[in-house]
Amino acid sequence: MLLSHEGMTRDDAVEMMMQYLGCDPGDAVVEVTPNRGAHCRFSYLRRIFKDRLLQQLELENEYGVTQEVRGLWDQVVRIYLLYLIGITLFTDKSQTAMDVVYLRYFRDLDVVAEFAWGAAALAHLYRKLNNVAH
C-alpha cells in the first residue's frame, strides 16, 4: 500500500496527538505552535514515550492486561514509530521536530506493515532534493 499525504492543520495535529498519543491538550497545543506548524519535537516524543511506557508497565503489573493497558501499549508503539520514522525515513533540516502528519499512518497498527515504507522514503528524499535544487 502506497503512502500519500497532504499537509495537516494545527488543529488536526492537536486532535490526533490527543487521540492517538494520549497527549494532554495543553502540551499538544504547545508542540504545534505557529513557528513549528503541525510538528512535535523529538524531545517531547522521548518524554511522553517514557511516561506512557512506565504507566503501561505499572498498570500491567498491578492489574494485568486490561483494555486500558492495551490502549497505553498502542500509544507507546505509535510514539516509538513516529519517532523512528522521523529520525530515519522522513528527516528534514530541522533535526529537532517531526511532522505530525505521519501519525495518520499509525492510527491502525494492524496495517502498518502493509505500507510501502521504502517507496515513501524515496519519494520524500526526491521531493527534498527537488526543493533544494530550485
Side-chain angles (χ1 to χ4, degrees):
M1 186 180 304
L2 288 175
L3 298 174
S4 176
H5 70 272
E6 295 179 13
M8 178 182 286
T9 68
R10 288 182 188 93
D11 291 340
D12 288 342
V14 167
E15 182 68 30
M16 287 191 76
M17 289 173 68
M18 290 179 347
Q19 182 176 357
Y20 295 110
L21 304 180
C23 296
D24 177 79
D27 287 347
V29 168
V30 167
E31 284 302 310
V32 293
T33 57
N35 60 335
R36 279 193 303 274
H39 288 73
C40 61
R41 293 171 294 160
F42 291 123
S43 59
Y44 178 71
L45 289 175
R46 285 191 302 268
R47 182 171 52 99
I48 64 171
F49 176 80
K50 290 176 188 175
D51 292 346
R52 296 299 173 287
L53 186 58
L54 287 174
Q55 266 183 305
Q56 185 265 332
L57 291 173
E58 288 172 0
L59 285 174
E60 186 174 347
N61 286 336
E62 190 169 334
Y63 302 107
V65 178
T66 64
Q67 191 67 23
E68 184 178 359
V69 169
R70 284 188 186 107
L72 284 169
W73 182 247
D74 286 350
Q75 290 174 3
V76 168
V77 170
R78 286 185 188 104
I79 295 165
Y80 178 77
L81 290 172
L82 191 62
Y83 183 86
L84 182 66
I85 66 164
I87 62 171
T88 57
L89 297 180
F90 304 121
T91 59
D92 64 18
K93 64 182 178 181
S94 78
Q95 298 181 351
T96 60
M98 152 105 227
D99 194 339
V100 178
V101 73
Y102 298 109
L103 186 53
R104 287 179 177 158
Y105 306 122
F106 304 126
R107 290 182 285 199
D108 183 356
L109 294 173
D110 292 331
V111 299
V112 170
E114 296 175 16
F115 292 130
W117 291 104
L122 283 174
H124 176 78
L125 174 65
Y126 292 143
R127 185 174 342 125
K128 294 297 181 182
L129 288 171
N130 187 43
N131 292 345
V132 171
H134 288 106

